[in-house]
Amino acid sequence: MDKVTAMTRRVLYQFPLSLYCEKAAWLLDAKGLPHRCHNMIPGLQVPRAQWMAGLSTLPILRDGKMVIGDSTAIALWLEKQYPELPLLPNDSVAREKVLALEGYFDELGDHVRRCVWSVAVDGPQVEQIFWGFSGYGRVVRMIGRCTVPLLRRMLRWRFQLYPQQVEESWQRVSDGLQFLESLLVDNPNGYLVDGRFSLADLTGATMLAPLIGPENSPWSASRLGIAMSSERRALQERLAGQWVLGMYARHRHAGL
Ligand SMILES: N[C@@H](CCC(=O)N[C@@H](CS)C(=O)NCC(=O)O)C(=O)O
């Protein structure tokens, strides 16, 4: 299949800022699978997502006639369908370890998202962070500019940006960073399972990226501006932060 045909047949329905959509896009890129991204408007995705995959969340991947929703299901399906450039080990024990770490980081992602939005929600760049992607047309971005107070209210409600929840999430994130660092001690090449890049590394790096802000991620400093900048300085110097930056630098090659 040539690249143009593949991009017509393989479509990732996503929110460009979503952790789980970034994970799915990275999965496709890591496997060298050309695809096209279709950016959807948060909230308005529900009927189409329900119709396509019986889910209300993104990412959803359409690959020819096949439609798969949920980033973990997408990972498993891609692995089965395109086993070249594997992201899961053959060995069953190592495979279980990768999947357990993937599940752990996926769950942590919700807390990371809450922490980052709790810092960014009141900042002047909130509209640029949320809508400032080339995949959203001029009209959508214009509406975005006119509805900033509504966006802030929606973010607070949707991600439960309330003091108690935010405090709990920072604690979970702190535990998560320490857990990651415990896996990295005496681990010279930095891969979490069996010394090679896997779904565990890809998921860990994606879910923590909004805190650390690798330049080739949707949460780069050039997109977020000053939001998170003081929190990030300390995080980037930690072992976990260095690890995220290293994974993005070495393995996140987009734009196939
Ligand atoms: N476990 C799911 C989580 C997906 C998810 O939470 N997606 C969010 C975007 S980050 C979403 O679509 N939210 C829309 C909604 O809940 O209405 C996955 O891995 O795909």
Side-chain angles (χ1 to χ4, degrees):
M1 197 194 314
D2 66 51
K3 185 172 169 180
V4 176
T5 314
M7 288 176 78
T8 316
R9 287 169 46 89
R10 198 175 289 122
V11 183
L12 181 65
Y13 295 86
Q14 65 158 3
F15 304 131
L17 197 61
S18 153
L19 300 165
Y20 304 96
C21 297
E22 161 72 353
K23 177 182 160 196
W26 190 344
L27 284 166
L28 287 160
D29 289 333
K31 287 203 163 276
L33 298 170
H35 61 279
R36 174 167 76 76
C37 289
H38 179 100
N39 289 346
M40 300 188 82
I41 297 179
L44 303 188
Q45 88 286 0
V46 175
R48 190 151 177 200
Q50 282 286 356
W51 173 71
M52 282 195 297
L55 290 171
S56 59
T57 56
L58 300 181
I60 292 174
L61 175 68
R62 179 161 63 76
D63 193 5
K65 291 196 171 117
M66 193 68 192
V67 176
I68 313 107
D70 186 277
S71 66
T72 302
I74 292 171
L76 295 176
W77 189 82
L78 289 176
E79 198 63 23
K80 196 163 163 213
Q81 204 66 14
Y82 307 100
E84 313 81 43
L85 304 175
L87 290 167
L88 281 173
N90 281 331
D91 172 71
S92 61
V93 175
R95 195 182 170 94
E96 283 313 307
K97 228 168 155 179
V98 168
L99 290 173
L101 285 169
E102 191 230 10
Y104 176 83
F105 287 121
D106 263 356
E107 213 184 302
L108 194 62
D110 280 343
H111 297 283
V112 168
R113 186 171 56 185
R114 177 176 295 133
C115 292
V116 173
W117 275 122
S118 74
V119 176
V121 69
D122 290 315
Q125 299 99 339
V126 63
E127 166 263 325
Q128 164 62 20
I129 295 170
F130 198 82
W131 295 114
F133 290 96
S134 55
Y136 289 130
R138 272 205 348 232
V139 174
V140 169
R141 292 174 70 172
M142 199 185 73
I143 295 171
R145 272 196 294 280
C146 301
T147 52
V148 171
L150 188 67
L151 174 63
R152 290 200 167 104
R153 221 175 310 149
M154 191 276 290
L155 289 169
R156 281 202 191 89
W157 167 77
R158 177 66 190 83
F159 300 132
Q160 300 280 290
L161 307 179
Y162 308 126
Q164 192 187 337
Q165 284 87 341
V166 170
E167 197 186 321
E168 279 167 20
S169 286
W170 275 115
Q171 186 55 54
R172 292 287 295 269
V173 165
S174 167
D175 295 345
L177 294 170
Q178 274 177 33
F179 170 63
L180 172 61
E181 286 171 348
S182 74
L183 301 176
L184 296 174
V185 171
D186 300 327
N187 180 352
N189 73 11
Y191 296 115
L192 299 180
V193 181
D194 266 7
R196 52 171 302 196
F197 185 67
S198 74
L199 180 61
D201 303 291
L202 186 155
T203 308
T206 315
M207 297 299 143
L208 293 171
L211 290 169
I212 313 296
E215 263 314 301
N216 52 339
S217 77
W219 309 280
S220 62
S222 45
R223 288 206 65 261
L224 262 68
I226 55 160
M228 286 292 293
S229 58
S230 55
E231 290 82 355
R232 272 181 176 173
R233 264 191 294 279
L235 290 166
Q236 284 170 350
E237 280 166 18
R238 283 181 67 151
L239 181 56
Q242 288 292 310
W243 180 83
V244 172
L245 293 172
M247 285 297 143
Y248 262 83
R250 268 182 283 161
H251 292 282
R252 182 72 181 103
H253 308 302
L256 287 155

PDB file of all heavy atoms in Angstrom, residues 78-104:
ATOM      1  N   LEU A  78      -2.736  -3.116  17.056  1.00  0.00           N
ATOM      2  CA  LEU A  78      -1.610  -2.807  16.159  1.00  0.00           C
ATOM      3  C   LEU A  78      -0.509  -3.856  16.299  1.00  0.00           C
ATOM      4  O   LEU A  78       0.117  -4.271  15.332  1.00  0.00           O
ATOM      5  CB  LEU A  78      -1.029  -1.418  16.467  1.00  0.00           C
ATOM      6  CG  LEU A  78      -1.883  -0.206  16.081  1.00  0.00           C
ATOM      7  CD1 LEU A  78      -1.208   1.086  16.530  1.00  0.00           C
ATOM      8  CD2 LEU A  78      -2.143  -0.148  14.568  1.00  0.00           C
ATOM      9  N   GLU A  79      -0.299  -4.293  17.541  1.00  0.00           N
ATOM     10  CA  GLU A  79       0.759  -5.282  17.788  1.00  0.00           C
ATOM     11  C   GLU A  79       0.441  -6.591  17.071  1.00  0.00           C
ATOM     12  O   GLU A  79       1.321  -7.228  16.503  1.00  0.00           O
ATOM     13  CB  GLU A  79       0.846  -5.505  19.306  1.00  0.00           C
ATOM     14  CG  GLU A  79       2.098  -6.141  19.785  1.00  0.00           C
ATOM     15  CD  GLU A  79       3.364  -5.325  19.527  1.00  0.00           C
ATOM     16  OE1 GLU A  79       3.285  -4.100  19.361  1.00  0.00           O
ATOM     17  OE2 GLU A  79       4.421  -5.963  19.481  1.00  0.00           O
ATOM     18  N   LYS A  80      -0.838  -6.945  17.091  1.00  0.00           N
ATOM     19  CA  LYS A  80      -1.254  -8.208  16.444  1.00  0.00           C
ATOM     20  C   LYS A  80      -1.194  -8.075  14.919  1.00  0.00           C
ATOM     21  O   LYS A  80      -0.730  -8.963  14.209  1.00  0.00           O
ATOM     22  CB  LYS A  80      -2.686  -8.501  16.891  1.00  0.00           C
ATOM     23  CG  LYS A  80      -3.097  -9.906  16.626  1.00  0.00           C
ATOM     24  CD  LYS A  80      -4.314 -10.262  17.431  1.00  0.00           C
ATOM     25  CE  LYS A  80      -4.920 -11.503  16.811  1.00  0.00           C
ATOM     26  NZ  LYS A  80      -6.348 -11.541  16.920  1.00  0.00           N
ATOM     27  N   GLN A  81      -1.641  -6.924  14.449  1.00  0.00           N
ATOM     28  CA  GLN A  81      -1.772  -6.722  13.011  1.00  0.00           C
ATOM     29  C   GLN A  81      -0.425  -6.394  12.348  1.00  0.00           C
ATOM     30  O   GLN A  81      -0.192  -6.765  11.211  1.00  0.00           O
ATOM     31  CB  GLN A  81      -2.751  -5.545  12.795  1.00  0.00           C
ATOM     32  CG  GLN A  81      -3.442  -5.520  11.466  1.00  0.00           C
ATOM     33  CD  GLN A  81      -4.385  -6.718  11.315  1.00  0.00           C
ATOM     34  OE1 GLN A  81      -4.702  -7.401  12.301  1.00  0.00           O
ATOM     35  NE2 GLN A  81      -4.794  -6.996  10.093  1.00  0.00           N
ATOM     36  N   TYR A  82       0.401  -5.667  13.062  1.00  0.00           N
ATOM     37  CA  TYR A  82       1.684  -5.207  12.502  1.00  0.00           C
ATOM     38  C   TYR A  82       2.807  -5.579  13.475  1.00  0.00           C
ATOM     39  O   TYR A  82       3.321  -4.727  14.206  1.00  0.00           O
ATOM     40  CB  TYR A  82       1.659  -3.680  12.286  1.00  0.00           C
ATOM     41  CG  TYR A  82       0.473  -3.199  11.480  1.00  0.00           C
ATOM     42  CD1 TYR A  82      -0.639  -2.651  12.106  1.00  0.00           C
ATOM     43  CD2 TYR A  82       0.461  -3.308  10.084  1.00  0.00           C
ATOM     44  CE1 TYR A  82      -1.737  -2.220  11.363  1.00  0.00           C
ATOM     45  CE2 TYR A  82      -0.632  -2.878   9.344  1.00  0.00           C
ATOM     46  CZ  TYR A  82      -1.730  -2.337   9.995  1.00  0.00           C
ATOM     47  OH  TYR A  82      -2.816  -1.916   9.269  1.00  0.00           O
ATOM     48  N   PRO A  83       3.169  -6.848  13.508  1.00  0.00           N
ATOM     49  CA  PRO A  83       4.138  -7.293  14.527  1.00  0.00           C
ATOM     50  C   PRO A  83       5.570  -6.807  14.300  1.00  0.00           C
ATOM     51  O   PRO A  83       6.389  -6.895  15.213  1.00  0.00           O
ATOM     52  CB  PRO A  83       4.062  -8.824  14.449  1.00  0.00           C
ATOM     53  CG  PRO A  83       3.437  -9.136  13.131  1.00  0.00           C
ATOM     54  CD  PRO A  83       2.641  -7.954  12.695  1.00  0.00           C
ATOM     55  N   GLU A  84       5.851  -6.260  13.090  1.00  0.00           N
ATOM     56  CA  GLU A  84       7.197  -5.738  12.873  1.00  0.00           C
ATOM     57  C   GLU A  84       7.367  -4.536  13.828  1.00  0.00           C
ATOM     58  O   GLU A  84       6.395  -3.860  14.132  1.00  0.00           O
ATOM     59  CB  GLU A  84       7.392  -5.226  11.431  1.00  0.00           C
ATOM     60  CG  GLU A  84       6.904  -6.146  10.322  1.00  0.00           C
ATOM     61  CD  GLU A  84       5.402  -6.046  10.093  1.00  0.00           C
ATOM     62  OE1 GLU A  84       4.874  -4.923  10.095  1.00  0.00           O
ATOM     63  OE2 GLU A  84       4.773  -7.105   9.929  1.00  0.00           O
ATOM     64  N   LEU A  85       8.574  -4.242  14.200  1.00  0.00           N
ATOM     65  CA  LEU A  85       8.888  -3.206  15.191  1.00  0.00           C
ATOM     66  C   LEU A  85       8.012  -3.395  16.445  1.00  0.00           C
ATOM     67  O   LEU A  85       7.171  -2.561  16.775  1.00  0.00           O
ATOM     68  CB  LEU A  85       8.659  -1.799  14.597  1.00  0.00           C
ATOM     69  CG  LEU A  85       9.405  -1.470  13.307  1.00  0.00           C
ATOM     70  CD1 LEU A  85       8.997  -0.106  12.755  1.00  0.00           C
ATOM     71  CD2 LEU A  85      10.906  -1.506  13.533  1.00  0.00           C
ATOM     72  N   PRO A  86       8.187  -4.536  17.117  1.00  0.00           N
ATOM     73  CA  PRO A  86       7.319  -4.857  18.257  1.00  0.00           C
ATOM     74  C   PRO A  86       7.453  -3.900  19.436  1.00  0.00           C
ATOM     75  O   PRO A  86       8.550  -3.408  19.720  1.00  0.00           O
ATOM     76  CB  PRO A  86       7.766  -6.271  18.653  1.00  0.00           C
ATOM     77  CG  PRO A  86       9.141  -6.402  18.120  1.00  0.00           C
ATOM     78  CD  PRO A  86       9.221  -5.543  16.888  1.00  0.00           C
ATOM     79  N   LEU A  87       6.338  -3.685  20.099  1.00  0.00           N
ATOM     80  CA  LEU A  87       6.332  -2.870  21.326  1.00  0.00           C
ATOM     81  C   LEU A  87       5.973  -3.723  22.540  1.00  0.00           C
ATOM     82  O   LEU A  87       5.888  -3.225  23.657  1.00  0.00           O
ATOM     83  CB  LEU A  87       5.351  -1.710  21.183  1.00  0.00           C
ATOM     84  CG  LEU A  87       5.801  -0.634  20.178  1.00  0.00           C
ATOM     85  CD1 LEU A  87       4.666   0.308  19.836  1.00  0.00           C
ATOM     86  CD2 LEU A  87       6.997   0.145  20.725  1.00  0.00           C
ATOM     87  N   LEU A  88       5.693  -5.002  22.294  1.00  0.00           N
ATOM     88  CA  LEU A  88       5.434  -5.942  23.392  1.00  0.00           C
ATOM     89  C   LEU A  88       6.387  -7.123  23.238  1.00  0.00           C
ATOM     90  O   LEU A  88       6.549  -7.647  22.128  1.00  0.00           O
ATOM     91  CB  LEU A  88       3.988  -6.459  23.315  1.00  0.00           C
ATOM     92  CG  LEU A  88       2.887  -5.553  23.824  1.00  0.00           C
ATOM     93  CD1 LEU A  88       1.520  -6.145  23.520  1.00  0.00           C
ATOM     94  CD2 LEU A  88       3.023  -5.349  25.337  1.00  0.00           C
ATOM     95  N   PRO A  89       7.010  -7.560  24.351  1.00  0.00           N
ATOM     96  CA  PRO A  89       7.924  -8.706  24.241  1.00  0.00           C
ATOM     97  C   PRO A  89       7.165 -10.002  23.967  1.00  0.00           C
ATOM     98  O   PRO A  89       5.983 -10.121  24.323  1.00  0.00           O
ATOM     99  CB  PRO A  89       8.581  -8.765  25.627  1.00  0.00           C
ATOM    100  CG  PRO A  89       8.080  -7.605  26.396  1.00  0.00           C
ATOM    101  CD  PRO A  89       6.909  -7.026  25.699  1.00  0.00           C
ATOM    102  N   ASN A  90       7.843 -10.975  23.370  1.00  0.00           N
ATOM    103  CA  ASN A  90       7.230 -12.291  23.151  1.00  0.00           C
ATOM    104  C   ASN A  90       7.104 -13.070  24.445  1.00  0.00           C
ATOM    105  O   ASN A  90       6.119 -13.760  24.677  1.00  0.00           O
ATOM    106  CB  ASN A  90       8.096 -13.117  22.181  1.00  0.00           C
ATOM    107  CG  ASN A  90       7.833 -12.672  20.758  1.00  0.00           C
ATOM    108  OD1 ASN A  90       6.739 -12.211  20.433  1.00  0.00           O
ATOM    109  ND2 ASN A  90       8.852 -12.779  19.916  1.00  0.00           N
ATOM    110  N   ASP A  91       8.114 -12.928  25.273  1.00  0.00           N
ATOM    111  CA  ASP A  91       8.136 -13.659  26.538  1.00  0.00           C
ATOM    112  C   ASP A  91       6.937 -13.238  27.410  1.00  0.00           C
ATOM    113  O   ASP A  91       6.692 -12.045  27.615  1.00  0.00           O
ATOM    114  CB  ASP A  91       9.455 -13.321  27.260  1.00  0.00           C
ATOM    115  CG  ASP A  91       9.465 -13.882  28.656  1.00  0.00           C
ATOM    116  OD1 ASP A  91       9.561 -15.101  28.784  1.00  0.00           O
ATOM    117  OD2 ASP A  91       9.344 -13.084  29.624  1.00  0.00           O
ATOM    118  N   SER A  92       6.194 -14.247  27.908  1.00  0.00           N
ATOM    119  CA  SER A  92       4.920 -13.919  28.553  1.00  0.00           C
ATOM    120  C   SER A  92       5.112 -13.134  29.863  1.00  0.00           C
ATOM    121  O   SER A  92       4.307 -12.263  30.182  1.00  0.00           O
ATOM    122  CB  SER A  92       4.087 -15.168  28.771  1.00  0.00           C
ATOM    123  OG  SER A  92       4.796 -16.042  29.598  1.00  0.00           O
ATOM    124  N   VAL A  93       6.180 -13.439  30.607  1.00  0.00           N
ATOM    125  CA  VAL A  93       6.387 -12.722  31.882  1.00  0.00           C
ATOM    126  C   VAL A  93       6.703 -11.248  31.594  1.00  0.00           C
ATOM    127  O   VAL A  93       6.128 -10.328  32.199  1.00  0.00           O
ATOM    128  CB  VAL A  93       7.522 -13.383  32.709  1.00  0.00           C
ATOM    129  CG1 VAL A  93       7.811 -12.580  33.963  1.00  0.00           C
ATOM    130  CG2 VAL A  93       7.139 -14.811  33.052  1.00  0.00           C
ATOM    131  N   ALA A  94       7.605 -11.038  30.626  1.00  0.00           N
ATOM    132  CA  ALA A  94       7.972  -9.657  30.286  1.00  0.00           C
ATOM    133  C   ALA A  94       6.760  -8.914  29.713  1.00  0.00           C
ATOM    134  O   ALA A  94       6.547  -7.729  29.993  1.00  0.00           O
ATOM    135  CB  ALA A  94       9.121  -9.667  29.278  1.00  0.00           C
ATOM    136  N   ARG A  95       5.975  -9.614  28.931  1.00  0.00           N
ATOM    137  CA  ARG A  95       4.780  -9.008  28.336  1.00  0.00           C
ATOM    138  C   ARG A  95       3.802  -8.532  29.422  1.00  0.00           C
ATOM    139  O   ARG A  95       3.275  -7.423  29.381  1.00  0.00           O
ATOM    140  CB  ARG A  95       4.120 -10.074  27.443  1.00  0.00           C
ATOM    141  CG  ARG A  95       3.109  -9.565  26.478  1.00  0.00           C
ATOM    142  CD  ARG A  95       2.533 -10.756  25.718  1.00  0.00           C
ATOM    143  NE  ARG A  95       1.402 -10.361  24.947  1.00  0.00           N
ATOM    144  CZ  ARG A  95       1.455  -9.997  23.678  1.00  0.00           C
ATOM    145  NH1 ARG A  95       2.587  -9.998  23.034  1.00  0.00           N
ATOM    146  NH2 ARG A  95       0.370  -9.630  23.046  1.00  0.00           N
ATOM    147  N   GLU A  96       3.586  -9.396  30.411  1.00  0.00           N
ATOM    148  CA  GLU A  96       2.699  -9.026  31.520  1.00  0.00           C
ATOM    149  C   GLU A  96       3.233  -7.805  32.274  1.00  0.00           C
ATOM    150  O   GLU A  96       2.482  -6.938  32.691  1.00  0.00           O
ATOM    151  CB  GLU A  96       2.527 -10.201  32.503  1.00  0.00           C
ATOM    152  CG  GLU A  96       1.584 -11.286  31.997  1.00  0.00           C
ATOM    153  CD  GLU A  96       0.277 -10.726  31.439  1.00  0.00           C
ATOM    154  OE1 GLU A  96      -0.392  -9.949  32.142  1.00  0.00           O
ATOM    155  OE2 GLU A  96      -0.084 -11.047  30.283  1.00  0.00           O
ATOM    156  N   LYS A  97       4.553  -7.776  32.413  1.00  0.00           N
ATOM    157  CA  LYS A  97       5.180  -6.645  33.107  1.00  0.00           C
ATOM    158  C   LYS A  97       4.939  -5.344  32.331  1.00  0.00           C
ATOM    159  O   LYS A  97       4.581  -4.317  32.903  1.00  0.00           O
ATOM    160  CB  LYS A  97       6.700  -6.899  33.178  1.00  0.00           C
ATOM    161  CG  LYS A  97       7.315  -6.706  34.505  1.00  0.00           C
ATOM    162  CD  LYS A  97       8.708  -7.292  34.441  1.00  0.00           C
ATOM    163  CE  LYS A  97       9.678  -6.740  35.401  1.00  0.00           C
ATOM    164  NZ  LYS A  97      10.981  -7.394  35.273  1.00  0.00           N
ATOM    165  N   VAL A  98       5.102  -5.427  31.013  1.00  0.00           N
ATOM    166  CA  VAL A  98       4.870  -4.239  30.171  1.00  0.00           C
ATOM    167  C   VAL A  98       3.418  -3.796  30.295  1.00  0.00           C
ATOM    168  O   VAL A  98       3.126  -2.599  30.479  1.00  0.00           O
ATOM    169  CB  VAL A  98       5.223  -4.539  28.690  1.00  0.00           C
ATOM    170  CG1 VAL A  98       4.716  -3.434  27.784  1.00  0.00           C
ATOM    171  CG2 VAL A  98       6.728  -4.708  28.526  1.00  0.00           C
ATOM    172  N   LEU A  99       2.507  -4.751  30.234  1.00  0.00           N
ATOM    173  CA  LEU A  99       1.083  -4.374  30.282  1.00  0.00           C
ATOM    174  C   LEU A  99       0.697  -3.812  31.653  1.00  0.00           C
ATOM    175  O   LEU A  99      -0.118  -2.892  31.738  1.00  0.00           O
ATOM    176  CB  LEU A  99       0.210  -5.582  29.917  1.00  0.00           C
ATOM    177  CG  LEU A  99       0.303  -5.983  28.434  1.00  0.00           C
ATOM    178  CD1 LEU A  99      -0.443  -7.287  28.166  1.00  0.00           C
ATOM    179  CD2 LEU A  99      -0.220  -4.878  27.507  1.00  0.00           C
ATOM    180  N   ALA A 100       1.303  -4.362  32.705  1.00  0.00           N
ATOM    181  CA  ALA A 100       1.002  -3.833  34.051  1.00  0.00           C
ATOM    182  C   ALA A 100       1.504  -2.394  34.164  1.00  0.00           C
ATOM    183  O   ALA A 100       0.808  -1.518  34.702  1.00  0.00           O
ATOM    184  CB  ALA A 100       1.649  -4.716  35.110  1.00  0.00           C
ATOM    185  N   LEU A 101       2.703  -2.132  33.646  1.00  0.00           N
ATOM    186  CA  LEU A 101       3.233  -0.760  33.707  1.00  0.00           C
ATOM    187  C   LEU A 101       2.398   0.171  32.831  1.00  0.00           C
ATOM    188  O   LEU A 101       2.128   1.319  33.199  1.00  0.00           O
ATOM    189  CB  LEU A 101       4.702  -0.734  33.255  1.00  0.00           C
ATOM    190  CG  LEU A 101       5.703  -1.280  34.274  1.00  0.00           C
ATOM    191  CD1 LEU A 101       7.073  -1.463  33.648  1.00  0.00           C
ATOM    192  CD2 LEU A 101       5.805  -0.341  35.482  1.00  0.00           C
ATOM    193  N   GLU A 102       1.979  -0.318  31.693  1.00  0.00           N
ATOM    194  CA  GLU A 102       1.127   0.506  30.827  1.00  0.00           C
ATOM    195  C   GLU A 102      -0.147   0.920  31.572  1.00  0.00           C
ATOM    196  O   GLU A 102      -0.545   2.078  31.564  1.00  0.00           O
ATOM    197  CB  GLU A 102       0.763  -0.262  29.548  1.00  0.00           C
ATOM    198  CG  GLU A 102       0.113   0.630  28.504  1.00  0.00           C
ATOM    199  CD  GLU A 102      -1.164   0.076  27.941  1.00  0.00           C
ATOM    200  OE1 GLU A 102      -1.687  -0.927  28.485  1.00  0.00           O
ATOM    201  OE2 GLU A 102      -1.657   0.644  26.958  1.00  0.00           O
ATOM    202  N   GLY A 103      -0.759  -0.064  32.255  1.00  0.00           N
ATOM    203  CA  GLY A 103      -1.987   0.227  33.015  1.00  0.00           C
ATOM    204  C   GLY A 103      -1.719   1.242  34.118  1.00  0.00           C
ATOM    205  O   GLY A 103      -2.507   2.168  34.334  1.00  0.00           O
ATOM    206  N   TYR A 104      -0.586   1.082  34.801  1.00  0.00           N
ATOM    207  CA  TYR A 104      -0.243   1.996  35.892  1.00  0.00           C
ATOM    208  C   TYR A 104      -0.106   3.430  35.368  1.00  0.00           C
ATOM    209  O   TYR A 104      -0.671   4.379  35.908  1.00  0.00           O
ATOM    210  CB  TYR A 104       1.065   1.534  36.557  1.00  0.00           C
ATOM    211  CG  TYR A 104       1.536   2.484  37.626  1.00  0.00           C
ATOM    212  CD1 TYR A 104       1.027   2.418  38.922  1.00  0.00           C
ATOM    213  CD2 TYR A 104       2.475   3.481  37.336  1.00  0.00           C
ATOM    214  CE1 TYR A 104       1.439   3.317  39.897  1.00  0.00           C
ATOM    215  CE2 TYR A 104       2.893   4.380  38.309  1.00  0.00           C
ATOM    216  CZ  TYR A 104       2.361   4.293  39.592  1.00  0.00           C
ATOM    217  OH  TYR A 104       2.764   5.193  40.549  1.00  0.00           O
TER     218      TYR A 104
END
